[in-house]
């Protein structure tokens, strides 16, 4: 019981690091994001993160950052959607998150970034019930994700598998 306030303080410090941390050469923001992912994955720590969902979403560095930091942020978004399980993530879906995820899906420079973007989209759809309607809100979604398949002949099967898994979650194959 005495450790929960300390862990809550650590989580808040990590959020502050994301909001105020500079782009230092040590990767402080990336480390903070990866530690938040650990908080989100551990079932015992999830109850600490639920009240801070909106703060975490607004603090995550999604645009104009290094590919490793963007990948870590997308991973945190996917885990956050699995933890939230309610409408607390919905206000950001259409405004910010899905459009940013689609931008990362188009990034041909990093297959890891594409894979994590698709994975995060699948986790968000599964965690929030935001299925089928992404195709109506973003008509280019199906073609963008399908365009990955012919261009990944030399890419790993992980990326191809993630495309098919995301299609299945979103309901493209119905």
């Amino acid at each position: 019981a005495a450790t929960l306030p300390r862990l809550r303080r650590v989580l808040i410090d990590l959020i502050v690091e994301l909001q105020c941390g500079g782009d230092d050469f040590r990767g402080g923001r990336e480390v903070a994001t990866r530690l938040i992912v650990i908080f989100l994955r551990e079932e015992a720590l999830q109850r600490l993160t639920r009240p801070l969902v909106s703060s975490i979403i607004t603090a995550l560095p999604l645009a104009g950052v290094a590919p490793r930091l963007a990948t870590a942020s997308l991973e945190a978004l996917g885990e956050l959607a699995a933890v939230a399980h309610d409408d607390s993530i919905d206000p950001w879906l259409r405004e910010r998150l899905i459009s940013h995820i689609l931008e990362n899906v188009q990034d041909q420079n990093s297959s890891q970034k594409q894979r994590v973007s698709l994975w995060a989209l699948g986790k968000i759809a599964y965690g929030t019930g935001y299925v089928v309607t992404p195709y109506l809100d973003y008509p280019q979604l199906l073609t963008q994700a399908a365009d990955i398949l012919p261009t990944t002949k030399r890419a790993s099967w992980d990326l191809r598998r993630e495309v098919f898994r995301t299609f299945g979650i979103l309901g493209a194959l119905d």
Side-chain angles (χ1 to χ4, degrees):
T3 59
L4 288 181
R6 290 185 183 134
L7 287 174
R8 185 176 292 118
R9 184 73 230 160
V10 168
L11 181 60
I12 291 170
D13 288 345
L14 292 172
I15 294 170
V16 169
E17 174 70 24
L18 288 177
Q19 291 171 339
C20 303
D23 293 328
D24 60 347
F25 63 92
R26 294 179 305 240
R29 292 172 74 191
E30 181 184 348
V31 171
T33 304
R34 295 205 184 275
L35 288 171
I36 286 175
V37 168
I38 291 171
F39 267 85
L40 294 168
R41 283 187 180 154
E42 292 299 321
E43 190 173 336
L45 299 175
Q46 288 176 358
R47 70 179 214 192
L48 293 174
T49 59
R50 282 192 188 106
L52 300 171
V53 167
S54 62
S55 298
I56 293 171
I57 290 174
T58 57
L60 285 174
L62 295 171
V65 295
R68 287 175 50 113
L69 180 56
T71 302
S73 296
L74 289 167
E75 191 175 348
L77 275 179
E79 294 295 338
L80 196 59
V83 169
H85 286 302
D86 59 4
D87 297 334
S88 61
I89 201 171
D90 282 345
W92 286 278
L93 275 179
R94 290 176 185 85
E95 296 172 11
R96 182 175 177 205
L97 301 181
I98 302 298
S99 60
H100 182 73
I101 289 172
L102 291 178
E103 288 174 17
N104 286 318
V105 167
Q106 291 177 336
D107 186 9
Q108 298 290 325
N109 296 329
S110 173
S111 63
Q112 176 71 9
K113 196 173 177 184
Q114 285 180 318
R115 187 186 65 75
V116 172
S117 297
L118 288 166
W119 175 84
L121 181 60
K123 290 286 261 189
I124 288 171
Y126 185 78
T128 62
Y130 186 59
V131 293
V132 180
T133 53
Y135 295 121
L136 301 174
D137 295 340
Y138 301 94
Q140 75 278 14
L141 172 63
L142 185 61
T143 56
Q144 284 178 357
D147 286 345
I148 291 174
L149 294 173
T151 62
T152 58
K153 298 245 187 262
R154 284 174 255 142
S156 66
W157 277 100
D158 291 339
L159 180 59
R160 295 181 200 181
R161 190 174 333 135
E162 205 57 52
V163 170
F164 289 125
R165 188 182 77 77
T166 304
F167 280 170
I169 292 171
L170 290 175
L173 304 176
D174 287 346

